[in-house]
Amino acid sequence: MSGAKLLTEKWPVLGRHKQAAVWLQIWADLGRAPRTIDAYARGLTEYLQLCERDDIDPVTANRAHIAIYVRELTSRPHRRGANVVAIDSGSGLSNATIQQRLVPVRLFYDFLIEEGLRASNPVGRGRYTPGRRAGVQQRGLVPRLTKLPWIPSEQQWLRILEVARSEPVRNRVMLALAYDAALRREELCSLRTDDVDPAHRTLRIRAETTKNRLERVVPYSASTGVLLSQYLTHRAQVSRARGPLFLSESRRNHGQPLSLWTWSKVVRRIALASGVERLSTHTTRHLCLTDLARIGWEVHTIAAFAGHRHTDSTLQYIHLSGRELADKLARGMEHIHAWRIQALTSIDGTETDR
């Protein structure tokens, strides 16, 4: 059974709209990651449910109908309620989440235009011209807020480490690798035994596990290598089979690959126990890249290490580290200081001459 078929069973509204089901199947056939397909299906489902509720034909919907959907997104209470850390929209859904919800709707209308079922995209930022990559750029429906990634303070990090020390060796080495190699959650949980090269202390991050399908090789430190060696000895007691590096040790899934959700629960538990509730599976990656910027790594080197296709994503860590601003301030202050000293000494000399 195809991934798109499974999604239409999970969200029946997609099956009631032929074009939506076809659009999803095309993305699945093009080899998009299952999580991407799932996110597209979820976002389009919410929009189609609103269309059915308000008796709107999604094929002929206009900008006013999209505005109704945006209004609902900006006023919808978040399902996590009081657990939400940052509420950008003022009601519940963050600005980034709202932007994410609009992506599949915009892509769906691009598809309808390509199929000749529409002349324009009610979500698009510019006019759609077949065969052209971009049209006339206009302001987006929802202002995009660009925030720097959150990283813990030194005190918060020490509290996190204090709690992490009592974790099993598997969780400790995963936390160490997540920081040391700036790994995303899926990259970390998808590591296999043959991805590790202890002789050179490197990890191979396979293309199929990365966000942008770029394979890379990253180093890890000697201290992390010691912890990894301890874990490999422990892992042999769970399973001697080669394959996924990190295994579940629960009764129900003993010896099975550790799931993304299990790792998320581990990090969430550490966050609550340490009192640093903003800690997430991505925090260690943000912290590592910011630290690399702080110690003077060049932007292209950080981009290669992080697996960024473009340096635009990398620049936020340079900004977060404050390195360039600090350097400019230091150079500026040095010049000002030298000028003041020179001025003072010349005044002093003039007075002496008199």
Side-chain angles (χ1 to χ4, degrees):
M1 186 179 295
S2 68
K5 182 68 181 291
L6 288 173
L7 291 171
T8 55
E9 290 183 357
K10 185 176 181 180
W11 291 292
V13 66
L14 296 174
R16 294 195 293 271
H17 294 269
K18 180 181 177 182
Q19 293 88 357
V22 171
W23 175 73
L24 272 178
Q25 185 61 58
I26 289 174
W27 282 110
D29 291 342
L30 288 173
R32 290 298 188 272
R35 288 176 60 201
T36 300
I37 299 297
D38 189 80
Y40 284 175
R42 186 189 301 274
L44 191 57
T45 289
E46 292 187 357
Y47 173 67
L48 293 177
Q49 286 174 339
L50 177 137
C51 288
E52 290 188 348
R53 186 196 70 194
D54 293 354
D55 197 24
I56 300 170
D57 180 1
V59 176
T60 60
N62 55 35
R63 183 64 67 95
H65 298 133
I66 300 296
I68 294 173
Y69 179 54
V70 171
R71 183 183 63 194
E72 179 176 293
L73 290 176
T74 56
S75 60
R76 178 185 305 172
H78 198 285
R79 61 183 175 83
R80 289 173 61 185
N83 289 329
V84 177
V85 176
I87 302 177
D88 301 325
S89 67
S91 300
L93 294 185
S94 68
N95 179 266
T97 301
I98 293 171
Q99 300 286 352
Q100 188 181 53
R101 292 290 193 276
L102 288 173
V103 167
V105 180
R106 185 176 69 245
L107 294 177
F108 175 61
Y109 280 114
D110 279 346
F111 166 72
L112 295 182
I113 292 170
E114 291 173 350
E115 294 296 302
L117 299 176
R118 285 186 64 95
S120 63
N121 190 327
V123 190
R125 298 181 188 177
R127 299 190 178 187
Y128 179 86
T129 305
R132 293 185 61 183
R133 186 172 180 180
V136 179
Q137 293 299 310
Q138 299 175 356
R139 189 176 298 235
L141 292 179
V142 179
R144 183 178 294 275
L145 304 180
T146 303
K147 288 188 167 186
L148 292 175
W150 176 82
I151 59 173
S153 65
E154 290 304 309
Q155 287 295 331
Q156 290 172 324
W157 182 243
L158 289 175
R159 296 209 306 268
I160 292 168
L161 294 181
E162 186 64 30
V163 173
R165 285 192 185 98
S166 61
E167 288 289 320
V169 64
R170 183 201 68 192
N171 296 346
R172 282 185 286 134
V173 75
M174 289 183 71
L175 196 64
L177 284 175
Y179 169 78
D180 219 358
L183 300 181
R184 301 179 179 95
R185 181 181 64 164
E186 188 165 356
E187 294 170 350
L188 175 67
C189 295
S190 300
L191 284 173
R192 298 178 64 83
T193 52
D194 55 356
D195 291 333
V196 182
D197 183 355
H200 297 92
R201 290 207 308 269
T202 59
L203 299 173
R204 180 173 68 98
I205 313 302
R206 286 169 285 116
E208 60 269 23
T209 69
T210 65
K211 185 177 180 180
N212 52 19
R213 298 301 184 258
L214 289 177
E215 184 170 304
R216 67 187 191 278
V217 175
V218 293
Y220 57 86
S221 65
S223 55
T224 298
V226 172
L227 196 58
L228 180 58
S229 178
Q230 294 174 12
Y231 169 68
L232 291 175
T233 301
H234 172 77
R235 183 188 181 280
Q237 300 173 12
V238 180
S239 173
R240 291 186 175 275
R242 297 180 66 82
L245 180 59
F246 299 114
L247 303 177
S248 172
E249 298 179 32
S250 67
R251 272 188 223 169
R252 186 173 61 179
N253 299 312
H254 191 79
Q256 296 299 309
L258 189 75
S259 70
L260 302 176
W261 318 119
T262 300
W263 176 237
S264 293
K265 289 178 182 178
V266 169
V267 173
R268 184 61 180 165
R269 184 178 68 241
I270 295 174
L272 294 175
S274 64
V276 187
E277 297 192 13
R278 295 190 70 175
L279 176 69
S280 72
T281 56
H282 220 61
T283 300
T284 46
R285 176 175 167 85
H286 289 323
L287 183 58
C288 174
L289 299 180
T290 303
D291 285 345
L292 294 180
R294 283 169 172 164
I295 63 177
W297 279 36
E298 295 301 323
V299 62
H300 292 286
T301 308
I302 298 176
F305 183 80
H308 291 153
R309 190 179 293 273
H310 305 290
T311 57
D312 292 348
S313 300
T314 314
L315 285 172
Q316 62 186 339
Y317 300 102
I318 303 292
H319 298 324
L320 180 58
S321 72
R323 188 189 76 202
E324 290 185 345
L325 291 177
D327 289 345
K328 288 181 179 178
L329 178 62
R331 289 194 298 269
M333 289 303 295
E334 183 179 356
H335 173 74
I336 291 172
H337 179 73
W339 173 80
R340 291 194 192 281
I341 291 296
Q342 182 181 12
L344 284 170
T345 54
S346 64
I347 290 174
D348 185 60
T350 303
E351 292 292 333
T352 302
D353 291 339
R354 287 180 184 176

